[in-house]
Amino acid sequence: MPIQETESIWHNGKLVPWAEATTHVMTHALLYGTCAFEGIRCYDTEHKGPSIFRLKEHIERLFYSARVYHIEMPFTVDEVMAASREVITANKLGSAYIRINANLGYGEVGPYATSGPTDVSVVAFPWGTYLGDDALKEGIRVAVSSWRRSAPGTIPAGVKAAGNYLSSRLITIEAKKNGYVEGIGLAHDGTVSEGAGENLFLVKGGRIITPPHAASILGGITRDAVITLAKDLGYELVEQSIPREMLYAADEVFLTGTAAEVTKVQSVDDIKVGSGNYPITDHLQKTFFGLFTGQTEDKWGWLDPVNQA
Ligand code: PMP
């Protein structure tokens, strides 16, 4: 995915020109993957103008990830939230991707380094669909990866840090090399975990099923939103272990994520999903996108308008 440069980046407390937001080659985060980060979407909503989706939850997850990896945060949650709104307005953006990095900075070598300085940046640039333009409507082809997600007690899968994404890289490269749009990682015990950068759901007999946190997933904020919307719409939703073969028997399969939003899965390992109809996924997708047109009431206060007036 190419980066679209914008004018300015919020870097350690102030806006600087894009080209000046640089870091040293010996930055700890580069050497050891010690970067807690977030990827967030800003939607150019019809009723509230540019609004960041679940900003607070994303920033709280950022602080959680930093805490697990002993990366000290030199700013408060409110300050990083304000910075996120500021980069959208400063760069005159509507629909955008916001990437926040908290890098363990320059100063020490060796994995033990705990002293900062932590280098915090908030970057935003324009963004459309992630998995291809037809992905949302037509669905995508996925394949189960030969790579497993990290087992409990190894690298914490529920934490969003750069080093964790070496696993995602292996899964997605394997899938793309074999002609698929995305790869699905299995958990350490061979049950279904998640996509390289998305959570996974299936529908069977009207019930919506998704793997639990213990299945080496990242607790996605979109996953949580879809669970909440599904329950609100009256669907039965269960979090349970999913054996691989259950994907082949599902009526519907879909992925969720900040990037993927709610994306249908057309086939798994070249086996067509269900009958090709996605009534429940369509309903959830419509309700999810309705949040950004005002058609779905935002009962949960998930939209954070950039203009706070
Ligand atoms: N799993 C992984 C591995 C991810 O990288 C992402 C994207 N952040 C997700 C799930 C979905 O999480 P969210 O809905 O919070 O973007």
Side-chain angles (χ1 to χ4, degrees):
M1 165 107 355
I3 294 169
Q4 282 196 53
E5 293 187 11
T6 51
E7 232 166 77
S8 48
I9 288 175
W10 186 95
H11 197 207
N12 294 327
K14 60 178 196 299
L15 289 173
V16 300
W18 180 280
E20 286 174 25
T22 55
T23 191
H24 197 274
V25 290
M26 289 301 282
T27 293
H28 198 273
L30 279 176
L31 304 185
Y32 302 101
T34 44
C35 162
F37 75 95
E38 275 304 318
I40 316 176
R41 263 188 201 265
C42 179
Y43 287 90
D44 199 4
T45 70
E46 288 178 19
H47 52 314
K48 294 187 172 181
S51 300
I52 304 174
F53 186 59
R54 305 198 72 180
L55 176 61
K56 192 168 199 323
E57 289 89 336
H58 277 282
I59 306 302
E60 283 173 347
R61 187 172 66 184
L62 175 76
F63 277 67
Y64 162 68
S65 302
R67 190 181 172 84
V68 172
Y69 280 119
H70 301 264
I71 300 166
E72 225 170 275
M73 290 298 292
F75 299 97
T76 63
V77 168
D78 283 347
E79 283 167 340
V80 183
M81 284 176 71
S84 306
R85 296 180 202 109
E86 196 181 346
V87 288
I88 297 292
T89 38
N91 291 298
K92 302 180 190 66
L93 293 167
S95 295
Y97 176 68
I98 302 171
R99 165 83 189 212
I100 307 181
N101 300 314
N103 288 324
L104 189 54
Y106 173 90
E108 285 184 60
V109 285
Y112 178 69
T114 52
S115 60
T118 307
D119 193 42
V120 183
S121 54
V122 187
V123 184
F125 51 87
W127 220 33
T129 48
Y130 173 65
L131 293 169
D133 285 341
D134 292 336
L136 295 175
K137 222 166 92 216
E138 308 295 336
I140 58 167
R141 296 173 59 241
V142 306
V144 171
S145 182
S146 66
W147 292 100
R148 297 234 166 145
R149 301 296 292 178
S150 53
T154 61
I155 288 179
V159 165
K160 201 165 170 63
N164 294 29
Y165 280 79
L166 293 173
S167 157
S168 295
R169 180 167 169 81
L170 293 172
I171 290 172
T172 200
I173 285 179
E174 183 185 69
K176 291 215 160 69
K177 271 194 173 164
N178 292 328
Y180 301 95
V181 175
E182 188 57 295
I184 304 299
L186 298 181
H188 62 105
D189 61 359
T191 62
V192 175
S193 174
E194 61 177 349
E198 309 84 17
N199 291 114
L200 182 139
F201 290 76
L202 64 81
V203 178
K204 184 70 187 167
R207 283 164 90 216
I208 306 171
I209 307 171
T210 194
H213 286 267
S216 294
I217 65 162
L218 178 75
I221 289 165
T222 321
R223 173 185 183 272
D224 179 74
V226 164
I227 289 174
T228 305
L229 291 174
K231 288 183 177 165
D232 193 58
L233 292 168
Y235 289 110
E236 187 189 346
L237 188 140
V238 287
E239 295 181 51
Q240 67 164 64
S241 287
I242 298 178
R244 174 177 182 166
E245 61 276 16
M246 212 166 149
L247 294 174
Y248 308 144
D251 300 325
E252 303 177 38
V253 178
F254 61 94
L255 301 175
T256 65
T258 295
E261 298 170 301
V262 180
T263 295
K264 292 174 206 169
V265 171
Q266 208 181 78
S267 64
V268 181
D269 297 334
D270 295 320
I271 300 174
K272 193 168 168 281
V273 173
S275 64
N277 294 320
Y278 292 77
I280 294 181
T281 312
D282 282 336
H283 193 189
L284 291 169
Q285 205 184 54
K286 188 163 165 255
T287 309
F288 177 78
F289 285 113
L291 290 163
F292 314 118
T293 57
Q295 266 171 314
T296 301
E297 187 197 343
D298 178 16
K299 295 181 196 172
W300 306 274
W302 286 341
L303 295 182
D304 190 293
V306 164
N307 302 309
Q308 293 274 299

